[in-house]
Amino acid sequence: MGTGTSELRGSRTGRLVGDEDEAEEEEEDDDEWRERLPGKKRQEREEKGMQYWSQRETNRDEGVEDGGGLGASGGPGLGVSASAEPDRKKAKVRGAIRAAFFLGPLVCAMLVVLLCAFLVPCQHGELDKRPQWEKELGDHVGGVTPPPLALWDVDNDSVEDVLIGVTQKSNNTHLSSSVGNNKEYSVVSLSAFSGEVLWRRVLREPVESIQCGLQYEAHPSPLPAGGAALRALPNSANPLSGQRDRASGPVCLLIQSAHLTAVNGTTGKKLWSVAPGEIQSQAVSLPDLQGDSVPDLLIATLPADQVSDLSLLLLSGLTGALLGHPVTFNLTTFNVSGKLIGPLFHETQLGAYYILFGLGTVEAVSLGDIYTRATGKTPISPGLRLKDPGWEKLRKTNSSLIHISSGTEQVEFLVPLVAGLCNNHNSLDYISNLNSSRSDWVLVCGKLSSKLSVLREKDAHTEWTLTSSAIHSRPAPGQFNDDGIPDLLIQKSGAPRMRKVQVVDGASGRSLWETEFICPRLDLEGTSIMTSDQSAFLFWAGDPVRPPKNLTKTTVAPRAVQAMPVIRKLFMLHPAYPTILLELASTTDTILTAAVSYQEPQKDASYITVSSRPTSGLGPGSRVVKSMSLRAAITAGQIVRLGESSTAGVPVRPGVFEINKFFRRLTFKNH
C-alpha cells in the first residue's frame, strides 16, 4: 500500500509540475497574443485572462481527482488524451478541406485542357485529312492551249481557292443556238480544301484571262443611282447590274476577247461588264486616279482607227466606266514587230509612275501623260505629275515613248526580279503589284538563241547580259544564294531531245547550278516558293541525264535518246543540297499550267496543276485539276542524286537520313 501510494503521489506531483510548465508556456503565448490585439484595454484583457485561467485550474483539479480514483491501472493521463482526440480529428478535417480546395480547381483546369486538345476540332483540320485532291471537269473542246487560271481566297478561309476557265461540249440546245456553236464556256471556282465547286458562271464566249484581288471595302461614299449611274457608265452592257450587291470579299475580272466582266469572287455574281473593244492584254492595277479609294485599271486594245498599233484604256475599278478616251500609240517605228509585252506598272525610286509595254520591244510612257491625253485634265495625284530624270533622259525628241530595250532581237519575256509568291501575274492586289513594280526587270530576247538580261530599275540600263540557247518559258526568280538578290531558274534547249535547267546568279549572270534532263515535251514555266531563308524551286522534266564516269561532258546513249519519255516528273531543288533533287510527283498527263498557293495557318503550300488527260478513242481529252500539299509530297518524295559534281563546300553524298530530316522540316512562307 505504501509503495502504491508513493507512486500515485509521484505521479500526481509529476503531472502537476508538467501542468505548471505547460501553463507557463501558454501564459507566455497568451501575453504575446494580448500584446498583438489592438483596440483592447489592458484591464479588460487581464480580467478575462484571470477568469480564463481560474476556470481552467478548477477544471484541471477536478479532472485530476477524478482520474486519481482510477488507480495505476487506469493511467494518470486519461484526462489529457480525451481532450486532445477531438482536436486531432478537427485538424484532419481542416487539412482534407484545404486539399480539396487546392486539388479541385487543378483537376478542372486539366480537364479543360484535355477537352480543348483532343475533343474540340481544329478550324483547319480538313487540310490534314485531304492533303491532295483531284477534280475532273469533263471533256475539253479546243485543243491543249493552257486554260486561264487564278488563285485567290474567295471564301475567307485563309487558303487560296482555284478559279479556272472551262470550254466543254454544250448539252444546252438553247445556249448552243444562241452562240452559234456547240460549245459551252464557263468559269468554275473550286474549294482549296476539297476541290468542290463553290460556284460556276456560264458565259457566251471563252475566257482568256482571270484576275482576282480588287477590293471594294475602302470605298467611302455611296454608289451613284438613277440617271447619275447611267451617265457614269455609258459603255456598260448593264450599268446597275450587281452594283449594290458587291460584297466585302475580293473582286475577280473575267477577260474575254471583247468584254471585261467583274464578278463577286465569293458568289460569282456579276458586278459590272464593259465592252471596250478587242482586248489584247490582262488588266493592270493602278493607283486610284479618281479619289474613290478603289484602284483603277488599264488594258491594251486594238485601235478602232486600224492605223495605230495599240491603244491603252483607263477604266474605273469601281464601275468599269471608261476614263476619257483610248490613247493610241505607233510602235512599229522601231523596225521590230512581235508579241505584245505588258502592259506592266512600274514605280521608280523617286515615286514616278510609268507603264511598260511594246510589240517585240519594251517602251515606257508616263502614267500622267496617259491620264492627260485620255481625259484632257491635269493629274491631281503627285505621283502622276512626277517625272523621273533618269528615265526622261532616254526619251527621244518629239516622242511620248521612252525606248527601254536595245538590240534587234524580239523581246519574249519581261519579268520583275522579285522572289516569292508576290510575283503573281494574275493578281490585282495593289500592294503586291506595287512591291513588284519597284524592282529591277528581267528581259529575255530572241527565239532561236536567247539573251538574258537584267535592267536596273533606277535608270533602265543593262546590269548584265547572258547569251544562251533558246529559253522556253518565263524565268522564275528565287533566292538560291545568300546575297539578297533574287536568282533566276531558266529552262532552255540542250542536246537533241534534251532540256537543260539552270540557275543564274541575279547579281552577275554567272551559272550557279545546271543539270540536263530528257525533254518532257512541255514548255511549262518553273516556280519558286520561299522557305525560312532561301527558295525551293519547282520544275517539270524527264529523268536527269547522268554523266558517265571519267568524262567531263555529258553524253547520252543513242538508245536513251530514241526512247522518248511519257512520264513527266515534278522535281524540287533546294540550294542547301544542290546535288540532290526530290521527286514529288510523276504523271503521263500533259500539264498545261501550274501555280503555287500558300497556306498560312499550316506553313504549307499547295501545288495546283491543270492537265489534259487522254481518253479512250479519238475524242477530246479530259481536263483535270489537281491540288497537292507540298509538305505531304515531300514526306512521300523520292531522292534523286545528280552525280558527284556539286557546288564548292557542299558535301558530295549527304546521308539519306540527313536529307529526309532537312526536307521534312521545311516550312513555306509567302515572301
Side-chain angles (χ1 to χ4, degrees):
M1 291 295 292
T3 305
T5 303
S6 300
E7 292 176 356
L8 179 60
R9 291 176 179 175
S11 176
R12 291 184 62 186
T13 304
R15 187 169 66 249
L16 289 174
V17 172
D19 289 343
E20 291 175 358
D21 295 336
E22 187 175 299
E24 291 176 358
E25 293 177 359
E26 291 179 357
E27 287 176 357
E28 293 176 359
D29 295 338
D30 190 68
D31 291 339
E32 294 180 1
W33 172 76
R34 287 199 299 268
E35 291 293 332
R36 294 176 183 175
L37 281 177
K40 296 289 185 179
K41 295 182 179 179
R42 185 176 183 86
Q43 182 179 359
E44 295 177 356
R45 292 199 298 267
E46 290 178 353
E47 290 177 357
K48 292 182 179 180
M50 293 297 295
Q51 294 176 2
Y52 170 78
W53 289 113
S54 176
Q55 182 67 30
R56 178 165 180 167
E57 288 292 335
T58 303
N59 293 338
R60 185 172 59 192
D61 292 340
E62 292 176 357
V64 170
E65 292 174 0
D66 294 339
L70 295 175
S73 61
L78 184 61
V80 175
S81 299
S83 62
E85 187 66 23
D87 293 338
R88 286 197 296 269
K89 290 182 178 180
K90 291 180 180 180
K92 289 182 180 179
V93 172
R94 287 195 298 269
I97 293 175
R98 285 196 296 268
F101 274 105
F102 173 75
L103 294 177
L106 184 62
V107 172
C108 293
M110 292 178 63
L111 290 176
V112 171
V113 171
L114 292 176
L115 286 174
C116 294
F118 298 103
L119 299 182
V120 178
C122 295
Q123 182 179 0
H124 298 282
E126 293 298 322
L127 283 179
D128 298 330
K129 299 178 182 178
R130 300 181 180 182
Q132 178 172 303
W133 54 262
E134 186 176 290
K135 181 72 173 181
E136 188 170 343
L137 299 178
D139 293 341
H140 176 75
V141 180
V144 291
T145 56
L149 175 69
L151 303 178
W152 200 264
D153 180 15
V154 299
D155 53 3
N156 299 319
D157 57 4
S158 301
V159 181
E160 292 178 323
D161 303 294
V162 181
L163 291 91
I164 181 174
V166 179
T167 302
Q168 296 173 296
K169 185 176 180 180
S170 176
N171 295 322
N172 190 332
T173 56
H174 175 72
L175 181 63
S176 300
S177 60
S178 62
V179 299
N181 55 41
N182 62 344
K183 299 178 182 179
E184 179 181 287
Y185 309 108
S186 62
V187 172
V188 180
S189 175
L190 304 176
S191 168
F193 286 115
S194 61
E196 297 178 356
V197 176
L198 299 177
W199 53 262
R200 178 191 295 266
R201 182 172 184 82
V202 179
L203 305 169
R204 293 185 174 273
E205 57 181 306
V207 176
E208 298 181 357
S209 179
I210 304 174
Q211 296 175 267
C212 292
L214 268 181
Q215 299 290 339
Y216 281 175
E217 299 94 335
H219 188 264
S221 58
L223 289 170
L230 292 173
R231 289 191 298 272
L233 300 170
N235 297 323
S236 298
N238 190 356
L240 297 177
S241 175
Q243 285 299 301
R244 301 192 182 277
D245 297 324
R246 69 183 189 278
S248 59
V251 176
C252 296
L253 296 183
L254 312 181
I255 301 178
Q256 300 164 286
S257 60
H259 291 85
L260 179 63
T261 304
V263 299
N264 184 314
T266 304
T267 63
K269 189 172 183 179
K270 183 171 71 173
L271 302 177
W272 51 260
S273 180
V274 294
E278 297 185 46
I279 302 175
Q280 301 295 305
S281 72
Q282 291 187 323
V284 181
S285 179
L286 301 176
D288 178 24
L289 303 177
Q290 306 178 88
D292 57 7
S293 301
V294 177
D296 294 308
L297 305 171
L298 180 144
I299 59 172
T301 63
L302 289 180
D305 57 12
Q306 299 182 354
V307 176
S308 303
D309 297 320
L310 200 67
S311 295
L312 297 182
L313 280 71
L314 298 176
L315 301 174
S316 168
L318 179 64
T319 63
L322 180 63
L323 304 181
H325 57 78
V327 180
T328 60
F329 295 91
N330 290 317
L331 302 172
T332 56
T333 56
F334 299 103
N335 299 321
V336 178
S337 179
K339 64 182 291 187
L340 175 64
I341 302 299
L344 296 171
F345 175 74
H346 179 73
E347 181 184 7
T348 68
Q349 290 182 348
L350 296 180
Y353 299 151
Y354 289 88
I355 300 296
L356 306 181
F357 71 109
L359 293 175
T361 63
V362 179
E363 317 298 331
V365 60
S366 170
L367 180 58
D369 291 345
I370 297 176
Y371 182 83
T372 300
R373 291 176 59 184
T375 64
K377 301 177 182 179
T378 302
I380 301 176
S381 170
L384 293 178
R385 297 195 302 266
L386 186 62
K387 301 293 181 65
D388 193 314
W391 284 61
E392 291 298 323
K393 67 181 181 181
L394 301 176
R395 185 194 304 273
K396 293 185 178 181
T397 306
N398 299 326
S399 175
S400 61
L401 296 175
I402 301 173
H403 189 52
I404 301 298
S405 61
S406 59
T408 58
E409 297 90 350
Q410 292 188 13
V411 177
E412 297 295 327
F413 304 106
L414 180 64
V415 182
L417 188 60
V418 178
L421 293 182
C422 56
N423 184 20
N424 183 358
H425 46 281
N426 286 336
S427 172
L428 287 172
D429 180 55
Y430 175 68
I431 301 300
S432 297
N433 290 336
L434 193 61
N435 292 336
S436 298
S437 72
R438 294 168 175 166
S439 68
D440 293 341
W441 295 88
V442 180
L443 197 66
V444 178
C445 301
K447 286 188 175 181
L448 299 179
S449 63
S450 298
K451 287 186 177 180
L452 179 67
S453 305
V454 167
L455 303 180
R456 292 198 301 258
E457 176 276 332
K458 60 181 180 181
D459 55 10
H461 287 172
T462 301
E463 183 72 23
W464 54 261
T465 300
L466 174 67
T467 301
S468 71
S469 56
I471 298 177
H472 297 280
S473 59
R474 285 167 49 104
Q479 297 286 354
F480 192 87
N481 55 20
D482 55 358
D483 61 0
I485 300 176
D487 307 302
L488 299 169
L489 176 77
I490 60 174
Q491 303 178 66
K492 58 184 184 178
S493 299
R497 299 179 182 178
M498 295 291 124
R499 177 70 56 82
K500 180 175 287 188
V501 180
Q502 185 178 17
V503 178
V504 178
D505 187 359
S508 63
R510 66 184 180 91
S511 177
L512 299 176
W513 180 93
E514 64 179 52
T515 297
E516 201 165 25
F517 299 83
I518 297 175
C519 182
R521 291 189 289 180
L522 288 175
D523 288 336
L524 189 66
E525 65 183 79
T527 189
S528 69
I529 181 170
M530 289 297 297
T531 60
S532 58
D533 54 353
Q534 292 176 300
S535 298
F537 295 86
L538 303 175
F539 60 90
W540 288 90
D543 289 322
V545 179
R546 305 178 187 276
K549 294 182 179 181
N550 302 324
L551 290 178
T552 58
K553 185 177 180 180
T554 301
T555 59
V556 183
R559 183 176 300 176
V561 174
Q562 295 175 1
M564 296 301 296
V566 294
I567 298 179
R568 287 101 178 186
K569 298 182 178 182
L570 176 64
F571 293 106
M572 171 181 283
L573 167 67
H574 196 281
Y577 291 95
T579 61
I580 297 295
L581 291 178
L582 201 61
E583 182 183 327
L584 302 182
S586 61
T587 182
T588 57
D589 298 344
T590 301
I591 309 299
L592 303 177
T593 186
V596 174
S597 170
Y598 177 70
Q599 300 168 2
E600 183 177 0
Q602 292 76 27
K603 301 299 180 184
D604 195 6
S606 292
Y607 190 74
I608 312 293
T609 59
V610 181
S611 59
S612 176
R613 178 169 296 173
T615 56
S616 58
L618 301 177
S622 176
R623 284 288 164 88
V624 178
V625 183
K626 189 174 182 179
S627 175
M628 175 179 63
S629 165
L630 286 183
R631 296 188 68 180
I634 287 173
T635 302
Q638 298 183 6
I639 297 174
V640 179
R641 298 185 183 272
L642 298 177
E644 298 182 357
S645 60
S646 64
T647 303
V650 179
V652 174
R653 291 187 64 83
V656 175
F657 175 78
E658 176 186 350
I659 297 171
N660 287 332
K661 181 180 179 181
F662 172 80
F663 278 101
R664 292 179 181 180
R665 294 178 65 181
L666 281 181
T667 58
F668 304 103
K669 60 182 182 179
N670 198 349
H671 43 70

